[in-house]
Amino acid sequence: MKKRIRKLISIGMILCMCTQAAPAFASEGSISGDEQSIIADESMENNSTIAESTEEDPDLEDYQSNESQSVSDDEIEATDPDSVLQEEEESIRDEQPAENPEDDLVLKENDQDTNEDNTDSSSETEDSESSVEENTIVLKYQAHIQGIGWQEWKTNGEQAGTTGESRRMEALILDFGDEELNAQIEYRAHVQNIGWQEWVHGGELCGTTGQSLRIEAIQIKLTGSLGETHEIYYQVHISDFGTLDYVQDGHRAGSEGFSKRMEAIQIHFAKKGAEHPETGSRGFCKAYSDSNLQYSAHAQNIGDMANVSNGQIQGTTGKGLRMEGITITLDTSDPDVLDGSIRYCTHIQNIGWQEWKENGEYSGTKGQSYRLEAIKIQLTGEAADYYDIYYRTHVQNIGWMGWAKNGEAAGSQSCSYRMEAIQISLRIKGQSAPGSTENTFQQGGSASKSSLSSKLGVNPNAIVSELIMHQFDDYYLNTKYVGLNPNKDFKLCMRPYGEYANNNPGMNCTGFVAFVFQKCGANLETIGNMGLRGSYCNASNWLRYFKRYNVTYYQYSTVGELLNSGKAEKGDIIFCDPKDWSQSGADCHIGFFWGNDSSDNRFWHSSTKPGSGNQISVITPVTNPSYIYLVKLK
C-alpha cells in the first residue's frame, strides 16, 4: 500500500516538474506562444487538482511531506505518468486483501481516512467499544426459593420468586457477568433470626441456603462510575402485605420486625434519564417499637403520671385510687412505620361514655373527683390493617380483667367500680393475645350471678355437713398453720390432722377451704389456673375467680357492716382483702362463716391469729383495715 502511495506522489511531482519546465522549452523556440498558453492552462489545472486532492486528504499530505525526499530523480525520469496512473488504478481495483492487517485497506467514497500513527483512530475505536458496552450491560438475578431451590436467571424487571404460593425467598444473587461491573454493585438482605447481613458484590450470594430462613428485606446500590451513569430500581412482594412500591439505589425494600417472608422481587437497571418505574412511599415497612406507643394517666391524689410504653402498667393497684383520665399517643412520624393513629373513649362516673379522642388528646376529667369506669381503644389507617390493639383494666372489687381489643369495652359499667390501672399492648395481626380474653367487661345488672357451689359443681349442704361433723373434734381443728412455700408443693398446705396425723399435717387458710371443697366433690381446676402461684391454695386466686366468673358476693367496709347486713349464712365464704396492699406484711385471708345466724360473729379458719392453727374465732382479718367479702355458698 505504501508503494502505491509513493507512486501517486511521484506522479504529482512529475506533473509539477513538467509544468515548471515549460518556459524553458519556449525559450529555445520549440513551442509557439499558443502552445505555451495551452501548457500553462493545463499546468494550472493539474496544480489545482493536486491541491484539491491534498486538501481532501490531510493524512496523505502529511505522508507526502515526510516521504517526498526519498524519491530519486532517476525514478522520476523513468516514470511515465499516464501509464503509471492507469496501472495503479487497475491494481487498486483488482488487488485482493492482503494477509497483513496494515495492508488490508479498502478505499471507499465518504469512508473515514486512516492516520498512519493510529493515535486518533485508536481513540475512536475505544470510544466506539465503550458505547457498545454501555448499551449492552445486562444485570441478571437469580433467587433461591423454599421447596424449589435455584430458579432460572431473570433480567430487566422480570419476577424472580413466586406469589400466591406462600414460599419464602431464602437467597439472591445479582450478576453483570463482568468482574469490573460486579465490583460496582452492592446488596444485602435482612434475614430471619440474623438481621441485616454484610454487603456483598455482584456474583455473590446474600441470604442463606439450607437453613430454612426467610429473607425479609433487601437493599441494592450502585457505586463507582456505574453509579454515576446508571440507576437501579426494585420492588418486592411480601407475605400479608402483597407487592410493595418500587424503591431505588440503596433504599430498603420489604419489611423489618413483622416476621413476614419476602416471596418475589423485580429489578430494573437503566441509564440515568432513561425510562424507569415510578417509586412510591411504601416500598419498605418497619414494625412499631415499644416506644411508639405511650400513655399516661391522671390519678386520684397523684395527678398526671409519667408516660409508660407499650405493654407496661399505667395507674396504681392495691391503693384504692381511681383513674380520672388518660392520654394515649401512637408515634408514626418515622416514614418507615405504618401510617395511622389511635383513638379512644372513656366511661366516666355521672357522665357515661364520652366522645372519641385521638392521638394525644385527654379523655376524662380533672378536678371533679370522677372515676374512670371503662374504656374503648382502636387503631385507624394502615395501623389498623396490620395491628391489633389489646388492653385490660384493673377494676375495684374485681382486679385485673381479661384483655379486650380493637374497640371493645374494657372495665365496668353501672357497677360504680373505679378503674385503677390499665395495660395496653400493640400486637401484629396473627399474634396471640397477651393473656386471657375472658371477662373483659362487666355490665351492672346484666350479668347472671351464681352461687359458689353451683359454679364449682358441689352440693352446698355437703360442705356444711362435712364441717358440722368435725366442729368438735381434731380432724380440722388445731391442725398447725403451714404457710405457702413457693419452692414446695402447694398441697403441703392442705393436710388436716385427721387425714395426715402421721405425715406432716398442716394447713394454711386457703388449703383448709380447698380441702373441704375437694373432699365434697368440687372441681378447683379453674381456680388453680387464675394465674398466681400456689394454685388453689392461694386465696387471691379464689378472689379472682369470684369476680371473673360472676359468683354472687357482697363487699363491706367493716365486719360490723357484714354482720348487720342479714345476708350471712353458715358455710358462706368470708374473704378479707387489705385496703392498702402497700403496707408492710399485707395479706388476704379466707375461711367459713360459722355463725348460727347472720349476726353471729363466728369464723372457722386457719391462721396465726387470734390463736394459732385451725380455729373457730371471731372474724379476724390478717391485715387491718380490710374489705370484707361475703361469698354465697348457696
Side-chain angles (χ1 to χ4, degrees):
M1 184 64 190
K2 289 182 179 180
K3 290 180 179 180
R4 290 198 299 272
I5 293 174
R6 288 193 187 99
K7 290 180 180 181
L8 291 172
I9 292 171
S10 299
I11 294 169
M13 294 179 65
I14 293 169
L15 291 174
C16 290
M17 292 176 62
C18 291
T19 303
Q20 293 171 358
F25 296 148
S27 62
E28 294 177 1
S30 59
I31 300 176
S32 66
D34 291 336
E35 289 173 333
Q36 290 180 18
S37 176
I38 291 171
I39 291 172
D41 290 341
E42 290 177 350
S43 175
M44 291 178 63
E45 288 179 5
N46 291 333
N47 288 337
S48 175
T49 301
I50 294 172
E52 289 175 2
S53 174
T54 303
E55 290 175 359
E56 291 175 358
D57 195 345
D59 291 337
L60 184 61
E61 181 178 311
D62 292 341
Y63 185 85
Q64 177 180 332
S65 64
N66 293 330
E67 297 288 340
S68 60
Q69 298 302 321
S70 64
V71 182
S72 67
D73 292 342
D74 293 338
E75 287 177 315
I76 294 173
E77 291 177 357
T79 302
D80 181 358
D82 292 334
S83 63
V84 170
L85 182 59
Q86 180 178 354
E87 178 183 339
E88 290 302 325
E89 288 176 347
E90 291 175 355
S91 174
I92 291 172
R93 284 196 304 268
D94 298 337
E95 187 174 13
Q96 296 298 321
E99 292 182 1
N100 188 337
E102 290 186 357
D103 293 336
D104 187 18
L105 178 65
V106 179
L107 300 179
K108 295 184 179 179
E109 186 176 359
N110 298 326
D111 279 356
Q112 183 176 349
D113 296 316
T114 302
N115 190 337
E116 184 181 62
D117 62 13
N118 291 323
T119 301
D120 294 339
S121 174
S122 174
S123 175
E124 290 177 7
T125 302
E126 290 176 0
D127 291 343
S128 176
E129 290 175 353
S130 175
S131 176
V132 171
E133 183 179 352
E134 288 182 359
N135 292 330
T136 57
I137 295 176
V138 175
L139 175 63
K140 58 182 181 178
Y141 44 99
Q142 184 182 37
H144 189 278
I145 304 298
Q146 172 190 0
I148 296 175
W150 287 108
Q151 293 183 312
E152 295 181 354
W153 290 96
K154 306 294 182 181
T155 61
N156 195 33
E158 293 177 333
Q159 176 182 289
T162 62
T163 59
E165 299 183 27
S166 299
R167 297 179 185 272
R168 64 179 172 268
M169 183 179 294
E170 299 177 343
L172 187 69
I173 297 176
L174 280 63
D175 195 356
F176 282 113
D178 178 272
E179 183 176 346
E180 182 177 351
L181 293 175
N182 277 342
Q184 299 180 68
I185 187 169
E186 297 181 6
Y187 47 99
R188 64 173 182 165
H190 187 278
V191 178
Q192 173 188 0
N193 299 337
I194 296 175
W196 284 107
Q197 295 179 312
E198 296 296 325
W199 292 93
V200 299
H201 291 93
E204 298 175 341
L205 180 148
C206 71
T208 63
T209 59
Q211 299 184 48
S212 299
L213 299 177
R214 63 180 172 268
I215 291 180
E216 297 177 347
I218 195 162
Q219 286 178 275
I220 309 173
K221 63 182 180 181
L222 302 176
T223 62
S225 60
L226 193 63
E228 296 175 359
T229 58
H230 289 75
E231 296 172 320
I232 194 159
Y233 297 83
Y234 45 102
Q235 71 173 170
V236 300
H237 182 97
I238 63 175
S239 57
D240 295 335
F241 283 72
T243 301
L244 302 181
D245 293 335
Y246 270 98
V247 300
Q248 72 176 99
D249 293 325
H251 285 79
R252 290 173 290 181
S255 69
E256 185 177 335
F258 285 97
S259 299
K260 303 300 182 185
R261 63 182 172 270
M262 202 171 96
E263 298 178 344
I265 188 170
Q266 294 172 272
I267 305 175
H268 285 261
F269 170 77
K271 292 191 68 174
K272 287 187 175 181
E275 185 177 355
H276 59 76
E278 291 295 325
T279 59
S281 61
R282 185 55 71 221
F284 174 78
C285 188
K286 183 172 66 175
Y288 295 122
S289 66
D290 287 342
S291 62
N292 285 108
L293 179 65
Q294 302 273 328
Y295 45 104
S296 64
H298 184 85
Q300 175 188 358
N301 299 339
I302 297 175
D304 292 333
M305 303 182 72
N307 273 321
V308 298
S309 300
N310 183 42
Q312 296 180 320
I313 293 174
Q314 178 63 273
T316 64
T317 60
K319 296 183 178 181
L321 300 178
R322 64 181 173 267
M323 282 179 60
E324 297 179 351
I326 190 169
T327 300
I328 310 174
T329 303
L330 180 64
D331 181 7
T332 59
S333 59
D334 185 341
D336 286 334
V337 302
L338 294 169
D339 294 331
S341 186
I342 192 167
R343 60 197 300 260
Y344 41 96
C345 67
T346 55
H347 189 276
I348 302 173
Q349 173 188 358
N350 298 335
I351 295 175
W353 287 106
Q354 282 193 319
E355 63 182 11
W356 288 91
K357 304 294 183 179
E358 185 167 353
N359 215 34
E361 297 179 331
Y362 182 77
S363 179
T365 62
K366 291 183 179 181
Q368 300 182 54
S369 300
Y370 287 164
R371 62 181 172 265
L372 290 189
E373 297 179 339
I375 191 169
K376 300 175 184 178
I377 308 174
Q378 62 183 207
L379 301 169
T380 65
E382 285 185 327
D385 294 334
Y386 298 103
Y387 277 87
D388 291 318
I389 185 78
Y390 283 91
Y391 42 98
R392 66 171 182 162
T393 57
H394 189 278
V395 177
Q396 174 190 0
N397 297 334
I398 298 176
W400 283 111
M401 304 188 75
W403 289 91
K405 72 171 183 176
N406 299 340
E408 297 173 349
S412 66
Q413 183 176 338
S414 302
C415 297
S416 298
Y417 292 162
R418 63 181 170 268
M419 204 170 94
E420 299 175 342
I422 189 170
Q423 192 174 8
I424 307 174
S425 178
L426 268 175
R427 313 282 285 187
I428 297 170
K429 283 190 182 295
Q431 292 181 331
S432 60
S436 172
T437 57
E438 296 182 7
N439 194 33
T440 60
F441 180 73
Q442 186 168 313
Q443 177 78 44
S446 63
S448 176
K449 297 285 188 177
S450 301
S451 68
L452 181 58
S453 60
S454 65
K455 289 288 187 180
L456 297 180
V458 65
N459 184 340
N461 295 325
I463 299 292
V464 176
S465 296
E466 170 66 16
L467 292 171
I468 289 175
M469 185 185 305
H470 298 293
Q471 64 180 326
F472 300 116
D473 62 31
D474 290 335
Y475 188 88
Y476 295 110
L477 290 171
N478 299 317
T479 301
K480 70 178 180 180
Y481 181 84
V482 175
L484 186 64
N485 188 332
N487 297 319
K488 294 184 178 180
D489 186 353
F490 67 88
K491 291 183 180 180
L492 293 175
C493 295
M494 48 190 301
R495 290 171 169 258
Y497 183 84
E499 288 286 330
Y500 297 91
N502 299 317
N503 190 15
N504 297 320
M507 294 186 295
N508 70 347
C509 62
T510 321
F512 167 49
V513 173
F515 184 88
V516 173
F517 271 86
Q518 271 198 338
K519 186 177 181 181
C520 295
N523 183 352
L524 304 183
E525 182 178 354
T526 303
I527 296 175
N529 291 329
M530 294 309 294
L532 299 176
R533 63 179 179 84
S535 187
Y536 42 78
C537 284
N538 185 332
S540 293
N541 281 331
W542 285 71
L543 183 60
R544 286 187 173 190
Y545 179 80
F546 302 153
K547 293 178 175 181
R548 293 187 184 181
Y549 287 89
N550 294 320
V551 176
T552 303
Y553 66 86
Y554 302 94
Q555 179 186 348
Y556 304 98
S557 293
T558 65
V559 173
E561 286 184 10
L562 164 66
L563 297 175
N564 292 329
S565 69
K567 295 183 180 296
E569 298 177 84
K570 185 172 284 189
D572 287 345
I573 295 296
I574 298 295
F575 190 97
C576 306
D577 191 35
K579 291 183 178 181
D580 184 4
W581 274 92
S582 65
Q583 62 182 300
S584 177
D587 200 0
C588 56
H589 191 42
I590 192 172
F592 294 99
F593 180 77
W594 203 241
N596 293 318
D597 59 50
S598 61
S599 61
D600 186 10
N601 188 358
R602 298 186 75 205
F603 184 42
W604 195 343
H605 60 120
S606 286
S607 180
T608 57
K609 57 183 180 181
S612 180
N614 189 267
Q615 57 192 297
I616 298 175
S617 68
V618 296
I619 299 173
T620 308
V622 173
T623 303
N624 283 308
S626 284
Y627 295 107
I628 310 300
Y629 290 85
L630 176 68
V631 183
K632 297 302 292 180
L633 179 64
K634 300 179 181 179

